[in-house]
Amino acid sequence: MNQTEAVQQLCLDDIPNCSAVDRLTLELVTDEDVNLTKLAGIIEENPVLVGLVIGLANSAYFGVPSTVVTVRDAIVKVLGIGLVRSLVLSVILGRTLDLTRCPAFSVGEYWAHSRATARFSQLLAMRSPIGAEWNRDQGYLGGLLANFGQLLLVHHYPDGMQRVLATPPDSGNLIESQLEQVGLHQGPAGVLIDQHWQLPDIVVTVMQCAWFPEYRGLHWKLARLVGLISGMLGHYPQTGELPEASEELCELLAIDRHDTATQLSLLPDLYEDLERVAAHVAQSMS
């Protein structure tokens, strides 16, 4: 089955739809100009999200001196919009897509990688002239959702994705492996999700084009930045070795290799934070 046939077949399948409340929540959480009061209000309509957000904000890990009692205070004073986006997306997707039939797929590792990609895409762009081409939230959100289509592949093609993930390929061959085992890669799958959930255009471009160095269309610099960083971070959890900044990444950012390496040196502490948050989230949702 070629990729066109695979896309058509996937279109015929029942791509999961969110409830009306979840759809509104997704629209708000992926809006870079979101009104925090409005976002807090819609989160407060979901008991699971309220318990997760308030519980995490009051956890010993953050060490807040006084008890946080409102979702808005949890976002503004403790967690930040980036982490809350990750929490909301993980909860909504977790109950919409069946990710349990592919044992090699780890939801925790997926979101840790996504958050690390988002954070470093944002962090490095802020130190580069190209960061002026989009705002901080767009850079973060693009990194956070870059691999979004992978979730749909795991949901619909668990056996094929089991073969892809059981023997992790080099980052550059991930797309080729998905095409070989599934007949479709995560780019078009991410765009199909957008047709149902209406994600921002810049995010859709990153999901579809981050893996193709030759792409030079709209938002290409963010797409390439995210693709490079996602690939660099891919094997870090297994090896524990700091990735080296490629010449292409340094040229794209127009900053020197030493500056880029300095930012990447923050990776061990970041992953430690991600693992602590993931453990709390897993405990809260069990």
Side-chain angles (χ1 to χ4, degrees):
M1 179 168 57
N2 62 38
Q3 184 170 196
T4 300
E5 292 173 338
V7 172
Q8 291 173 343
Q9 180 63 48
L10 191 56
C11 289
L12 294 175
D13 289 334
D14 181 24
I15 297 176
N17 288 308
C18 296
S19 68
V21 173
D22 281 351
R23 183 182 295 275
L24 178 56
T25 306
L26 281 173
E27 289 176 1
L28 290 175
V29 83
T30 56
D31 180 2
E32 59 264 23
D33 298 318
V34 63
N35 179 290
L36 288 179
T37 300
K38 191 172 183 179
L39 176 60
I42 195 68
I43 289 176
E44 287 169 352
E45 295 183 19
N46 186 316
V48 174
L49 290 177
V50 172
L52 189 55
V53 170
I54 297 291
L56 184 57
N58 285 303
S59 68
Y61 168 62
F62 285 98
V64 179
S66 58
T67 303
V68 176
V69 296
T70 70
V71 171
R72 193 180 194 286
D73 281 350
I75 298 172
V76 174
K77 297 180 179 180
V78 184
L79 303 178
I81 187 65
L83 177 52
V84 171
R85 280 184 171 131
S86 302
L87 296 175
V88 171
L89 285 164
S90 63
V91 169
I92 291 177
L93 292 177
R95 65 187 180 208
T96 304
L97 300 174
D98 182 2
L99 307 176
T100 63
R101 294 175 296 147
C102 177
F105 180 78
S106 166
V107 175
E109 290 178 6
Y110 170 86
W111 284 108
H113 176 78
S114 295
R115 287 198 60 220
T117 299
R119 180 60 181 138
F120 278 100
S121 297
Q122 182 187 60
L123 186 65
L124 291 174
M126 287 168 55
R127 304 184 68 84
S128 165
I130 68 173
E133 298 183 19
W134 58 83
N135 66 40
R136 292 179 58 183
D137 285 344
Q138 288 175 328
Y140 186 93
L141 195 57
L144 183 66
L145 300 181
N147 290 287
F148 208 44
Q150 190 176 132
L151 299 179
L152 189 59
L153 294 185
V154 170
H155 172 81
H156 277 286
Y157 306 107
D159 294 337
M161 287 302 292
Q162 176 68 19
R163 293 191 293 272
V164 170
L165 298 171
T167 54
D170 293 336
S171 58
N173 295 327
L174 176 62
I175 298 300
E176 294 178 12
S177 182
Q178 290 174 353
L179 285 170
E180 179 181 348
Q181 299 295 340
V182 178
L184 176 69
H185 69 74
Q186 62 192 47
V191 174
L192 288 175
I193 290 178
D194 168 63
Q195 293 175 359
H196 283 252
W197 295 345
Q198 299 179 352
L199 300 171
D201 289 343
I202 191 170
V203 173
V204 176
T205 298
V206 172
M207 288 193 299
Q208 188 171 22
C209 304
W211 325 110
F212 301 100
E214 68 277 8
Y215 175 70
R216 287 298 182 272
L218 191 64
H219 309 307
W220 77 267
K221 291 183 180 179
L222 177 58
R224 191 63 195 133
L225 174 65
V226 168
L228 286 168
I229 293 174
S230 179
M232 288 169 57
L233 301 181
H235 294 298
Y236 174 76
Q238 289 77 35
T239 66
E241 297 178 0
L242 285 177
E244 294 185 4
S246 67
E247 183 176 345
E248 182 184 2
L249 177 62
C250 294
E251 289 180 356
L252 176 66
L253 293 168
I255 58 179
D256 63 46
R257 189 180 298 272
H258 175 74
D259 194 5
T260 306
T262 298
Q263 302 308 311
L264 289 173
S265 70
L266 303 174
L267 188 58
D269 287 341
L270 174 64
Y271 258 95
E272 185 177 348
D273 288 347
L274 292 173
E275 289 171 354
R276 289 175 179 173
V277 172
H280 180 89
V281 172
Q283 182 180 9
S284 299
M285 297 180 68
S286 61

